[in-house]
Amino acid sequence: MLDKVTKLIDDVQTFKTTSKEEIEAFRIKYLGSKGMLKELFTEFKNVDASLKKDLGQALNYLRNAATNKVQELNEAIEDNQVSKNIYGDLTRPSEPIELGSRHPISLVRNRIIDVFSKIGFTVSEGPEIEDDWHNFTALNLPEYHPARDMQDTFFIEQDPDILLRTHTSSVQVRYMENNEPPIRTISPGRVFRNEDISARAHCIFHQVEGLYIDTDVSFADLKQTLLYFTKEMFGKSKIRLRPSYFPFTEPSAEVDIYWGLETEIDYKITKGTGWLEIMGCGMVDPNVLKNADIDPEKYTGYAFGMGIERIAMLLYQIPDIRMFYENDVRFLEQFKSVL
Ligand code: DAH
């Protein structure tokens, strides 16, 4: 009987297959409830006691070999399937390319550019690191002018002052220095102020500056442009102009848009009034024209400046300005379908 068992061990160890059915048949043949091992162990009871030790060991060995074999063959089939899935069907269509999404600040900036392009405005840009002349002095904000305090400046160097621009109005000056009227340009860009960061304010944000200079430009032209802009941008044209002060414009105004109070975020952003200030504007101060060598007797113009974040918050109902700069993909992915 020992010879028979030894032969079976050999059979088990050399057995090979890649078919699930054959593995199952093998398992039943050796390990099933009416299988060979069962039979052999029954026979074993009647074997002479002197043979029992060796034969018992051999039988145990056979049982382990068969059990291991079944497991080994099944694992081999699974591994094979996994690698087949990787290289599987080479004719299948490839994975679609994942499209990224534009940042909401870019989306709004692009829309603003679109709206003003339609009425003949070009796009201009200037440096983020500015000198005192372009950020302040040329804009009718001489040294020690109290209005400089309105803009908490990050200085880079002193004497002469080099700073991070606090507004895109600096680009106005550069544009006037390099172009003759008539001028129609908007200047989108990043600006910097040393402000405490909160849900409504940040030390880095974005503005779009607008400048229009020609003969006979009046405040009525400015107002008409603002109406056109708010209608195109928001589909709303209920606005109000509040008299205000900016050193570079005279007269100056702040523009509020009536947004309404439909959502909780509308409440938050408009502080419960439904009105939201969206920009500052006014007629370019004659001193500013003079500083850029434009004759204020011959030319007049208007200018305006608006914050992009604030508009984006309104349009996309974003409750906290900090979300723009955290680069959380869960936030950014929401703008996938917006062009
Ligand atoms: N520069 C102003 C600011 O940052 C915004 C502004 C107001 C720009 C009035 C203008 C303007 O051109 O006419 O707050």
Side-chain angles (χ1 to χ4, degrees), residues 78-313:
E78 273 167 31
D79 284 353
N80 205 15
Q81 273 174 346
V82 171
S83 57
K84 256 206 186 126
N85 284 345
I86 294 172
Y87 298 110
D89 176 5
L90 296 176
T91 64
R92 77 196 194 285
S94 58
E95 289 284 313
I97 297 169
E98 269 239 21
L99 281 183
S101 50
R102 282 196 204 286
H103 194 280
I105 298 290
S106 304
L107 293 170
V108 171
R109 183 197 54 208
N110 292 348
R111 260 181 78 182
I112 296 173
I113 292 174
D114 272 357
V115 171
F116 282 105
S117 300
K118 283 196 209 158
I119 53 170
F121 281 75
T122 61
V123 177
S124 51
E125 282 182 5
E128 291 175 357
I129 296 176
E130 256 308 357
D131 51 36
D132 178 281
W133 171 257
H134 293 97
N135 196 76
F136 291 127
T137 308
L139 287 163
N140 211 22
L141 270 151
E143 216 181 332
Y144 306 120
H145 192 292
R148 283 194 182 204
D149 293 346
M150 278 159 60
Q151 310 198 335
D152 306 302
T153 311
F154 285 117
F155 288 95
I156 294 178
E157 276 172 34
Q158 275 182 321
D159 289 330
D161 284 346
I162 303 292
L163 44 93
L164 294 178
R165 68 178 176 196
T166 57
H167 52 184
T168 44
S169 303
S170 55
V171 189
Q172 265 192 41
V173 181
R174 289 188 175 271
Y175 198 87
M176 284 189 283
E177 284 171 349
N178 296 311
N179 296 275
E180 298 280 314
I183 287 170
R184 292 181 192 85
T185 189
I186 54 169
S187 324
R190 190 156 41 171
V191 301
F192 308 84
R193 287 189 201 173
N194 190 2
E195 278 187 45
D196 289 341
I197 297 172
S198 70
R200 295 173 53 86
H202 210 283
C203 58
I204 301 177
F205 55 103
H206 298 76
Q207 289 186 330
V208 177
E209 187 78 12
L211 180 68
Y212 188 117
I213 296 174
D214 205 342
T215 49
D216 300 322
V217 179
S218 71
F219 203 92
D221 296 324
L222 168 59
K223 196 174 161 197
Q224 210 51 45
T225 307
L226 297 175
L227 274 170
Y228 160 77
F229 170 72
T230 47
K231 191 140 194 203
E232 288 284 307
M233 192 73 198
F234 308 107
K236 294 175 198 247
S237 48
K238 188 165 164 186
I239 59 171
R240 69 182 180 199
L241 293 170
R242 270 182 299 107
S244 184
Y245 170 76
F246 297 102
F248 25 89
T249 42
E250 180 59 36
S252 304
E254 274 169 299
V255 184
D256 297 341
I257 177 170
Y258 187 71
W259 189 258
L261 289 170
E262 274 159 37
T263 69
E264 205 176 312
I265 293 172
D266 291 344
Y267 260 90
K268 232 180 175 163
I269 297 177
T270 69
K271 290 188 193 147
T273 64
W275 288 94
L276 188 78
E277 183 222 312
I278 54 163
M279 64 173 110
C281 65
M283 301 306 292
V284 181
D285 193 290
N287 284 336
V288 175
L289 295 175
K290 261 190 246 159
N291 286 337
D293 272 337
I294 293 178
D295 181 0
E297 298 296 325
K298 193 166 164 202
Y299 293 107
T300 48
Y302 62 73
F304 54 84
M306 65 186 106
I308 299 185
E309 277 79 356
R310 195 170 257 216
I311 294 176
M313 287 167 87

